Amino acid sequence: MLRVLEIRDMLIIDRLELLFQPGLNVLTGETGAGKSILLESLGFVLGWRGRAALVRQGAKQGEVIAVFDLAAGHAAHDVLEEAGLPSGDSELILRRINTIDGRKTAWVNDRRCSGDVLRALSATLVQLHGQQDDGGLLNPRGHRAMLDDFAGLKDELADVTARWRAVGQAQVQLADLQAAWDMVRAEEEFLRHSVSELDQLDPKPGEDATLDTARRKMQKAGRIRDDVARAFELLDGAEGNMGDALRWLEEAAGQADGVLDPPIANLVVALDAIGQAHDGVAQGLATLEVNPAELEACEERLFAIRGLARKHEVGPDDLGDYAAELRLKMAALESGEAQVNAQQEVLDKAQAAYSKTAGQLGKARRAHAARLDKSVMAELAPLKMERAEFVTEITASEPGPTGLDTVSFTVATNPGAPSGPLNRIASGGELSRFLLALKVCLTGTESGVTMIFDEIDRGVGGATADAVGRRLADLATAGQVLVVTHSPQVAARGAHHWQVSKQVAGGVTTTHVVPLEGDGRMDEIARMLAGDTITDEARAAAKVLLTG
């Protein structure tokens, strides 16, 4: 509920503070007195779009403060929480400043906030209705939600929304699986060839290092074997020559009187050492024996392993893991089609469940649409529009989170006349009454919202205006209603009354608002009945309206 509206230096308002009450609050005054400025100021602090130049002439900045009382479960608490603003207090204070250079700054409970936050809050706090009510009842985009609220289809709508999300999730999962399968299929030939090639080679971890060591050893042995072989040949010849020399010396030793004994002894020792060296070289030569076929096989496998590693851009020791990875892709290739088909079944079931639930919601909407039409028609009769027709049209729409239906409110002002949208078919006075009748029927679905009616009684008078006043008063029993009116019948139904007037002092025009009670209120209603000259007859008529 709007409790306080404080305005400073806005347009022709100097200083103004209004203390609103629950029930029906009426604002009256002559045309041009500034009633629309009050609404503009309220719209400014709520973040609504309006004229750019709002600062009063001569002032540096304009300021508006609005104080709302919030119940514990009011929707504004959710907006505050989402915006990271304090939401636990039952009092909500909005403050917004407009400087002379056009800059705007806003606060919520003394915390800076954006215009988007103000507008989100305003949707939960205030509803403005008038003959240009294109943001409310006249906006077809909101008619579906209004019908659902009227019908109490919150749970059914939530079920449809949940099933729509399930369809979306199933579609995303199917698309992911299909994309993955398509990718694997695109490289099927490469996978099969690579897996076959790796399986045939079957490289082992560490094999590259082992083969490289063996290859280097064989290459080294091949390089030194020729030198060892030549040395072996020389040792072989030396041992033969020394053996021959020993035999010749031994034959001559018997006639040499012992002169040859020492060299013979040395030669025996030397011949034994050469024999040992000969045998050792022979053994070394055997170990340096290199099989060319073995070296070729070693090099061939080593090069094959390294070639595959370069081809697949992995290390030689990682070829085994890479082969396992390719096998997994091969398995995915084989199971991908089955997974895609299984997910398609999930999607089909989700779509079937959505279609069924959305169809049931549509059926419920049509049943309650007939009830809404009947209720609105019942409200139109006392408003002297018993010959008019109101129809809630439900047509098929593209599937979405709210179902398969498009809802729009259409009217025909007379039997047989073409029907169409409210704002295109009805005249000003007729439109006001249509909106009021519709609002009366929909009010039971709303909670904690201040309803503002801007001259919704324009173009009607007499008994019709009285019927409008009675229905506005009925609306106010559920909360708070603010009405800007020129109708004395409507003003008389108010529980609280303010008079808006324009005064000129020192060449400066300002708007003033005063609360009216007793005789002051009676005189204002008499003025509305008779004009500038208030007669006794007008006062008597005003008294009748106030007591009626």
Side-chain angles (χ1 to χ4, degrees):
M1 181 188 78
L2 176 62
R3 181 158 52 85
V4 179
L5 181 63
E6 186 176 348
I7 306 171
R8 298 179 184 176
D9 295 324
M10 297 288 282
L11 295 173
I12 59 172
I13 296 177
D14 181 11
R15 296 286 188 276
L16 189 62
E17 184 180 39
L18 298 178
L19 305 178
F20 291 106
Q21 303 293 327
L24 181 57
N25 299 259
V26 297
L27 293 93
T28 63
E30 295 181 356
T31 300
K35 298 185 296 299
S36 61
I37 296 176
L38 298 179
L39 296 185
E40 278 193 89
S41 298
L42 178 60
F44 170 74
V45 78
L46 290 171
W48 297 350
R49 306 195 188 284
R51 70 173 92 179
L54 289 172
V55 181
R56 185 174 65 87
Q57 187 174 4
K60 293 182 178 180
Q61 66 178 34
E63 179 181 9
V64 182
I65 298 174
V67 181
F68 290 85
D69 289 333
L70 302 181
H74 198 284
H77 291 298
D78 295 333
V79 177
L80 293 171
E81 185 175 352
E82 184 176 349
L85 298 170
S87 62
D89 202 336
S90 61
E91 184 178 72
L92 177 65
I93 302 175
L94 308 182
R95 175 172 171 252
R96 198 177 190 203
I97 288 177
N98 189 16
T99 60
I100 196 169
D101 59 2
R103 289 181 299 164
K104 299 176 178 62
T105 310
W107 292 264
V108 174
N109 292 340
D110 289 330
R111 292 276 295 274
R112 286 283 295 271
C113 73
S114 65
D116 290 337
V117 171
L118 288 182
R119 284 185 284 275
L121 284 170
S122 74
T124 70
L125 297 169
V126 173
Q127 289 183 354
L128 175 63
H129 303 289
Q131 294 188 19
Q132 302 302 321
D133 182 27
D134 54 357
L137 298 175
L138 296 184
N139 187 350
R141 287 179 294 180
H143 291 176
R144 193 271 313 154
M146 293 177 191
L147 174 61
D148 287 348
D149 288 342
F150 171 80
L153 297 174
K154 180 180 179 180
D155 292 341
E156 291 82 349
L157 178 60
D159 193 13
V160 168
T161 302
R163 294 187 183 280
W164 173 255
R165 289 174 181 164
V167 169
Q169 291 171 355
Q171 288 174 331
V172 169
Q173 292 173 1
L174 177 61
D176 289 344
L177 287 172
Q178 185 70 54
W181 188 44
D182 289 344
M183 185 180 298
V184 173
R185 284 196 303 171
E187 55 179 354
E188 179 178 1
E189 183 176 349
F190 166 78
L191 287 172
R192 294 190 184 281
H193 174 74
S194 297
V195 169
S196 174
E197 194 174 38
L198 287 165
D199 285 345
Q200 184 176 357
L201 185 61
D202 191 24
K204 300 294 189 297
E207 187 178 3
D208 176 80
T210 301
L211 290 172
D212 185 63
T213 300
R215 173 174 174 260
R216 291 178 184 276
K217 186 175 180 180
M218 285 188 283
Q219 288 177 331
K220 185 177 179 180
R223 286 195 298 270
I224 67 174
R225 190 180 184 284
D226 292 341
D227 293 338
V228 176
R230 283 194 290 270
F232 179 77
E233 290 176 359
L234 291 175
L235 287 172
D236 193 33
E239 187 178 19
N241 292 332
M242 291 179 68
D244 290 342
L246 179 61
R247 284 193 300 274
W248 293 335
L249 290 174
E250 286 177 339
E251 289 177 0
Q255 300 178 15
D257 298 326
V259 175
L260 297 177
D261 290 343
I264 290 173
N266 290 333
L267 190 58
V268 169
V269 174
L271 187 60
D272 181 62
I274 289 176
Q276 291 180 15
H278 180 273
D279 292 342
V281 172
Q283 291 176 1
L285 190 61
T287 61
L288 294 174
E289 186 70 33
V290 177
N291 186 342
E294 183 180 352
L295 175 60
E296 183 180 358
C298 177
E299 289 182 333
E300 183 178 340
R301 182 162 180 80
L302 179 63
F303 295 157
I305 290 175
R306 289 181 175 178
L308 276 183
R310 286 193 302 272
K311 176 180 178 180
H312 297 295
E313 298 181 348
V314 297
D317 289 342
D318 297 326
L319 284 172
D321 292 338
Y322 181 68
E325 181 181 335
L326 294 184
R327 291 189 192 95
L328 286 177
K329 289 187 176 182
M330 287 288 292
L333 176 63
E334 296 169 359
S335 64
E337 184 174 8
Q339 291 177 337
V340 168
N341 292 338
Q343 185 60 33
Q344 182 64 57
E345 291 182 7
V346 172
L347 174 59
D348 292 342
K349 289 179 180 179
Q351 288 176 328
Y354 167 79
S355 297
K356 180 180 179 181
T357 308
Q360 292 171 342
L361 177 60
K363 185 180 295 184
R365 282 172 175 161
R366 285 168 174 79
H368 287 287
R371 185 168 65 87
L372 176 60
D373 295 346
K374 186 176 180 180
S375 298
V376 173
M377 292 299 295
E379 287 295 327
L380 289 174
L383 297 175
K384 305 304 179 184
M385 295 190 67
E386 61 276 359
R387 295 172 60 83
E389 294 181 356
F390 176 89
V391 177
T392 302
E393 287 191 352
I394 301 178
T395 56
S397 70
E398 291 296 321
T402 61
L404 303 167
D405 309 306
T406 295
V407 178
S408 60
F409 299 146
T410 63
V411 300
T413 54
N414 292 289
S419 62
L422 282 169
N423 57 341
R424 295 184 183 178
I425 298 299
S427 63
E430 292 169 336
L431 179 59
S432 299
R433 285 174 279 171
F434 269 121
L435 292 177
L436 181 57
L438 185 56
K439 193 63 186 174
V440 169
C441 294
L442 295 174
T443 298
T445 66
E446 298 162 350
S447 175
V449 178
T450 295
M451 289 177 282
I452 302 175
F453 292 87
D454 183 16
E455 298 187 7
I456 198 169
D457 53 1
R458 183 184 299 173
V460 299
T464 303
D466 182 65
V468 170
R470 290 178 184 274
R471 273 145 187 80
L472 289 171
D474 290 341
L475 280 176
T477 60
Q480 184 184 52
V481 175
L482 274 60
V483 178
V484 175
T485 180
H486 287 285
S487 169
Q489 292 89 344
V490 172
R493 295 291 174 185
H496 315 282
H497 192 156
W498 284 266
Q499 181 189 48
V500 184
S501 62
K502 184 167 59 176
Q503 299 178 12
V504 180
V508 178
T509 302
T510 56
T511 291
H512 294 262
V513 181
V514 294
L516 297 178
E517 294 182 356
D519 292 341
R521 187 180 184 197
M522 183 182 299
D523 286 347
E524 172 64 5
I525 293 177
R527 182 200 63 78
M528 297 172 73
L529 287 167
D532 292 336
T533 302
I534 302 176
T535 63
D536 292 339
E537 290 80 1
R539 286 193 177 90
K543 184 176 181 179
V544 171
L545 288 177
L546 287 169
T547 57

